[in-house]
Amino acid sequence: KSVIHLEEIRKSYYLGKNELPVLKGVTLDIFKNEYVALMGPSGSGKSTLMNILGCLDTPTSGSYILSGHDVSKMEDNDLARVRGKEIGFVFQQFNLMPRLTALENVAIPLIYAGIGKKERLEKAMAMLEKVKLENRADHKPNELSGGQCQRVAIARALVNDPSLILADEPTGNLDTKTSIEIMDIFGAIHASGNTVVLVTHEEDIADHARRIIRLRDGVIESDRINQKYVVTN
Ligand code: ADP
Ligand code: ADP
């Protein structure tokens, strides 16, 4: 079953009347429970593609079916609703709310889902347990290490049970040892049935994924099963 179905996706930015074509016809399927690393040189269109996959932006042309919904021509309001329900984001900079505790940060997506406070905090705690951070639930981001902050962000991404986890350079701000711990968590998330797409420019990080897609100049240059796949458990 396709979580992501892209057909001839094109995306241009317009600077005055100058067109800058960035994605030049991307066709791609990503199936449920795949684990994909998206690679490619700076400027190849990775962030642009991730923004489209994450329903933060729409393509100039082409179609995008996300979990059965055609999101390529949606208006912003509908797009935001689909994004909140279907996508969990993990960013390089963690993007946590500094005044909220770890537990409260994890519960944020559930506010938008309209879930009551007691149930929110219970679900958020269960997610913190998944990333082994239940003993830091009452700490604020500035009382947590970078790796711990990223675990909070991962728990927040998972709390709504989204159909797709998108991670943009999730280890970009972390040292090697912490990066491996975070990649082990992504491995466990994948093993428990989630669909994961992550952007990285580090081959060692990409080797945790099962499938590696390389973009170059706005097109897919290669798309293959990763023979060096690092088994995590
Ligand atoms: P990558 O993530 O692979 O580095 P991007 O998708 O960020 O690639 O960028 C691809 C190209 O699109 C670059 O030339 C970049 O300058 C341009 N670009 C990205 N976002 C915008 C924007 N909002 N407006 C204009 N140009 C943009
Ligand atoms: P880059 O990959 O170029 O370093 P970021 O990872 O900071 O950029 O952001 C990627 C995209 O996600 C940007 O278009 C940004 O507007 C968007 N974004 C950043 N933070 C959030 C957030 N908390 N919720 C939704 N979208 C976000």
Side-chain angles (χ1 to χ4, degrees):
K1 204 165 129 225
S2 283
V3 174
I4 293 170
H5 174 72
L6 299 180
E7 190 90 36
E8 274 297 304
I9 291 289
R10 294 172 187 274
K11 177 71 181 181
S12 292
Y13 295 108
Y14 292 90
L15 309 158
K17 55 182 180 170
N18 292 325
E19 179 183 0
L20 175 67
V22 172
L23 298 177
K24 303 172 182 171
V26 173
T27 295
L28 172 67
D29 276 280
I30 295 177
F31 298 99
K32 190 168 159 48
N33 199 22
E34 278 204 277
Y35 186 176
V36 177
L38 179 62
M39 303 192 76
S42 185
S44 58
K46 301 182 298 296
S47 293
T48 301
L49 182 57
M50 287 292 269
N51 284 347
I52 291 172
L53 293 179
C55 298
L56 295 162
D57 203 355
T58 51
T60 307
S61 69
S63 66
Y64 174 19
I65 314 293
L66 168 65
S67 299
H69 311 279
D70 187 344
V71 294
S72 34
K73 288 155 199 90
M74 274 188 183
E75 301 294 331
D76 286 352
N77 281 345
D78 293 327
L79 212 55
R81 190 175 40 75
V82 171
R83 183 164 70 228
K85 221 174 91 183
E86 305 285 346
I87 314 270
F89 291 98
V90 179
F91 301 96
Q92 178 173 354
Q93 318 289 351
F94 320 132
N95 291 7
L96 299 177
M97 305 288 275
R99 292 171 179 279
L100 300 186
T101 64
L103 186 69
E104 289 164 343
N105 265 284
V106 174
I108 291 172
L110 300 173
I111 297 175
Y112 297 104
I115 293 171
K117 185 166 184 185
K118 183 162 176 288
E119 191 183 346
R120 284 205 301 270
L121 296 180
E122 281 168 12
K123 283 197 166 174
M125 188 53 107
M127 287 301 137
L128 279 180
E129 284 166 13
K130 265 200 174 181
V131 299
K132 301 191 170 62
L133 218 60
E134 64 275 21
N135 58 347
R136 293 287 186 277
D138 295 330
H139 292 239
K140 293 191 175 155
N142 68 2
E143 300 161 337
L144 298 171
S145 68
Q148 290 172 338
C149 284
Q150 196 58 302
R151 279 147 67 186
V152 173
I154 292 170
R156 180 184 57 186
L158 290 169
V159 75
N160 251 349
D161 195 20
S163 51
L164 176 62
I165 309 291
L166 293 179
D168 194 350
E169 299 275 4
T171 61
N173 273 336
L174 303 174
D175 61 48
T176 305
K177 180 170 169 287
T178 310
S179 295
I180 292 168
E181 288 167 15
I182 293 297
M183 294 317 294
D184 284 345
I185 291 175
F186 278 109
I189 288 168
H190 168 239
S192 68
N194 286 286
T195 309
V196 179
V197 178
L198 80 92
V199 168
T200 181
H201 60 268
E202 293 178 70
E203 301 285 346
D204 290 353
I205 296 296
D207 279 340
H208 290 258
R210 303 295 301 269
R211 173 178 173 192
I212 300 182
I213 297 174
R214 287 174 203 273
L215 278 186
R216 180 177 291 272
D217 245 340
V219 295
I220 293 176
E221 177 188 54
S222 69
D223 180 352
R224 51 175 77 103
I225 297 302
N226 179 17
Q227 303 296 348
K228 290 192 291 176
Y229 166 55
V230 178
V231 181
T232 43
N233 42 45

